[in-house]
């Protein structure tokens, strides 16, 4: 099953879990499963049915351009990457 890695900012919603094994075939299904387990997390990850602006999704080490439609493999690693500001 895919594993979702939680950034520090989201761990308060997951009971401090930083890795969560989920049953999902797409990023959309993964987020739905996370919401089922940790109510409120979906609102931190999505807006209007898409990945929130300022957040990127990396699957198996590659930043996804497919957003919620990105397919997952049984051994996929899913990372939620917050934007890093600077100048």
């Amino acid at each position: 099953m895919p594993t979702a890695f939680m950034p520090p900012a989201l761990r308060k919603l997951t009971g401090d879990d930083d890795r969560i094994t989920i049953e999902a075939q797409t990023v959309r299904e993964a987020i739905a499963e996370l919401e089922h387990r940790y109510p409120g997390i979906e609102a931190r990850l999505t807006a209007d049915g898409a990945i929130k602006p300022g957040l990127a999704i990396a699957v198996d080490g590659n930043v996804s351009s497919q957003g919620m439609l990105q397919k997952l493999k049984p051994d996929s690693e899913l990372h939620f990457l917050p934007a890093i500001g600077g100048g």
Side-chain angles (χ1 to χ4, degrees):
M1 287 193 280
T3 301
F5 290 80
M6 297 288 108
L10 293 177
R11 291 182 195 158
K12 66 181 178 184
L13 295 173
T14 65
D16 215 29
D17 289 339
D18 63 344
R19 298 170 194 219
I20 302 161
T21 303
I22 49 178
E23 207 170 312
Q25 294 182 1
T26 65
V27 169
R28 182 181 311 280
E29 289 177 9
I31 291 173
E33 176 64 22
L34 289 169
E35 176 66 18
H36 176 74
R37 292 188 201 180
Y38 309 103
I41 201 166
E42 183 175 20
R44 300 283 303 274
L45 298 172
T46 67
D48 299 321
I51 301 300
K52 261 192 169 177
L55 186 67
I57 302 292
V59 176
D60 300 328
N62 298 307
V63 174
S64 171
S65 62
Q66 296 181 352
M68 301 285 272
L69 300 176
Q70 176 66 48
K71 300 264 186 215
L72 303 174
K73 296 182 235 170
D75 61 345
S76 284
E77 292 186 357
L78 174 63
H79 295 261
F80 299 99
L81 308 170
I84 297 174

